[in-house]
Amino acid sequence: MEIDNDKNIHIYQQYETKVFNLLDRYEKKLISIIVCYRKAIFRFIAIIDIFFRTAANLINKLYKIARYSTIPLHWLWIFITLRKMVEDQPDFMDLPFNKNGAHYWYAKPGEGKSTCVFHKNMEHAYLTGKAAYTTVQMERPRTRRDGTKFVYNQVFDPNELFVEGKQIKAWDKRFNKVVFEEILTQGFNHRLNNQSSYKDIVIPMIASMSAQRHQGIEIFDFISQLPKTDIQIMQMLTYYHRPKIKKKFDYVHWLQTGKFRFTIKGWKIKTYEIVLTGAADYEIIPYKTYFYPCTLHDDMEFFEQFNLKKNFDSLETMKGVTMS
């Protein structure tokens, strides 16, 4: 009986060995097939990439030759193209956020309020020739041909402009916009409106807003994560805006690098009117919803996303308790 059991065990072991050997051969075969397919696919992608790069370089050279060889006839094509671009796009200067006065931008973190204000102010600057004052460094430095750095928008400190309840300096006529980025970090928390430090800045700032046209300032932008601020500022607003950033897949970047990237397509903006309902009250009434396209992609490369980071980096680091 024991001999029969040993014989059965031996048979099972042989069967088990054959099964595992079969599985090992199947696994090796499957891996080899996957490797072959993988090499074939990568080789095909490489060939396609070389083809498109070669084609793009050839087209670019031919396009350059075509541009130079058609002087001055290509001015007709340029005129038609620019005319079509103007006809297809709404007049930028007619958009609500360009109306003279104060504007309030409210959105949660990452929804696009700062990028939208930066973009529209750059577009406004190219049309008017005047950039913006900003309370933080919203723009990364650009480089001139001689290697020197520069920015279009000028950073200013409200505490140097408004002192002891008075405006002690004039706005530079080269700038026609003022941006208060994240007003909570600028001390504009309306819960502090009974403190002298708050009044010393806000009261002369409101007075400056009331006389902005006389100082050459067209637009005041207030950016915040809170839906409202000081009642007097809210009552002086021309419009109240709620932007929402929209992004798109950067197909051209993928063609050039093979890497996936998403860029700003534009912003969906809900604009509201401020309607006064009393001496110390108001209502926010829907006015217009529209899409504002991102057209200055090169300029957006210079937008400083973490423009408040420098303020916190200068603080002493708080050391926590080490876990035991």
Side-chain angles (χ1 to χ4, degrees):
M1 191 69 179
E2 291 180 358
I3 295 175
D4 290 339
N5 288 337
D6 291 341
K7 184 177 181 181
N8 290 335
I9 292 173
H10 180 69
I11 293 173
Y12 291 147
Q13 288 177 341
Q14 286 182 327
Y15 178 74
E16 183 182 40
T17 301
K18 289 181 179 179
V19 170
F20 279 116
N21 288 337
L22 179 63
L23 290 175
D24 287 339
R25 288 198 300 271
Y26 175 76
E27 182 182 17
K28 291 178 181 178
K29 189 67 175 178
L30 183 61
I31 291 174
S32 65
I33 292 173
I34 292 174
V35 170
C36 289
Y37 271 109
R38 190 175 178 181
K39 288 182 179 178
I41 291 173
F42 283 147
R43 191 170 300 169
F44 175 74
I45 292 175
I47 293 172
I48 293 296
D49 181 65
I50 293 172
F51 171 77
F52 279 111
R53 285 178 182 273
T54 304
N57 290 333
L58 179 60
I59 292 173
N60 186 51
K61 291 179 180 178
L62 293 175
Y63 183 47
K64 185 175 182 179
I65 294 172
R67 293 198 306 271
Y68 278 92
S69 62
T70 55
I71 297 174
L73 298 178
H74 60 217
W75 276 106
L76 178 61
W77 174 79
I78 293 174
F79 174 77
I80 295 173
T81 303
L82 292 177
R83 185 181 181 87
K84 189 175 185 303
M85 289 172 60
V86 171
E87 291 175 350
D88 291 344
Q89 295 292 337
D91 190 350
F92 168 75
M93 296 303 289
D94 289 338
L95 292 173
F97 53 61
N98 281 325
K99 188 172 182 179
N100 285 8
H103 297 260
Y104 196 86
W105 297 82
Y106 162 65
K108 296 299 182 182
E111 289 189 340
K113 52 188 181 296
S114 296
T115 54
C116 185
V117 171
F118 178 79
H119 185 280
K120 69 98 176 174
N121 279 346
M122 287 305 305
E123 190 166 359
H124 192 276
Y126 287 133
L127 292 173
T128 63
K130 297 183 178 182
Y133 278 110
T134 61
T135 53
V136 297
Q137 191 74 52
M138 297 182 71
E139 179 185 8
R140 294 174 183 170
R142 307 166 193 248
T143 305
R144 296 188 178 91
R145 292 183 178 180
D146 61 2
T148 57
K149 303 289 185 179
F150 75 99
V151 293
Y152 289 117
N153 301 294
Q154 177 69 48
V155 177
F156 83 104
D157 184 355
N159 292 289
E160 295 180 358
L161 182 67
F162 306 117
V163 178
E164 296 181 354
K166 294 181 180 179
Q167 179 177 338
I168 63 171
K169 294 182 180 180
W171 299 106
D172 192 321
K173 295 298 186 292
R174 295 175 298 171
F175 304 89
N176 61 358
K177 296 168 285 291
V178 180
V179 180
F180 289 88
E181 166 69 301
E182 196 49 69
I183 59 176
L184 288 176
T185 64
Q186 307 300 323
F188 292 177
N189 191 323
H190 55 284
R191 291 186 179 276
L192 304 175
N193 59 8
N194 61 341
Q195 297 186 9
S196 59
S197 59
Y198 178 89
K199 295 177 181 179
D200 285 346
I201 293 180
V202 174
I203 291 177
M205 183 192 69
I206 292 175
S208 182
M209 290 165 57
S210 67
Q212 66 181 77
R213 290 196 304 131
H214 301 274
Q215 303 183 77
I217 300 296
E218 298 180 18
I219 298 171
F220 279 87
D221 287 314
F222 296 91
I223 304 174
S224 181
Q225 295 180 34
L226 286 180
K228 63 180 180 179
T229 185
D230 188 279
I231 181 65
Q232 287 187 317
I233 296 177
M234 296 299 293
Q235 288 183 324
M236 290 188 68
L237 296 179
T238 301
Y239 286 118
Y240 181 103
H241 310 283
R242 293 202 62 175
K244 182 72 173 180
I245 194 169
K246 301 294 180 182
K247 294 190 176 183
K248 65 178 181 179
F249 172 60
D250 193 342
Y251 176 68
V252 174
H253 181 74
W254 177 81
L255 283 177
Q256 294 173 345
T257 66
K259 296 180 180 180
F260 288 85
R261 185 177 76 172
F262 290 87
T263 58
I264 298 175
K265 180 179 181 181
W267 300 264
K268 181 180 180 182
I269 303 175
K270 294 182 179 180
T271 294
Y272 301 81
E273 287 183 300
I274 301 297
V275 178
L276 302 184
T277 58
D281 204 2
Y282 61 90
E283 287 185 7
I284 300 177
I285 307 298
Y287 173 69
K288 186 177 183 180
T289 299
Y290 50 99
F291 180 75
Y292 172 46
C294 177
T295 57
L296 305 177
H297 295 286
D298 290 341
D299 284 288
M300 293 308 294
E301 294 292 330
F302 295 98
F303 171 72
E304 182 56 77
Q305 182 179 5
F306 300 106
N307 50 49
L308 296 173
K309 184 175 182 296
K310 187 185 298 183
N311 297 347
F312 297 99
D313 286 345
S314 62
L315 300 177
E316 181 181 354
T317 301
M318 184 183 71
K319 301 186 182 301
V321 178
T322 303
M323 293 182 63
S324 57

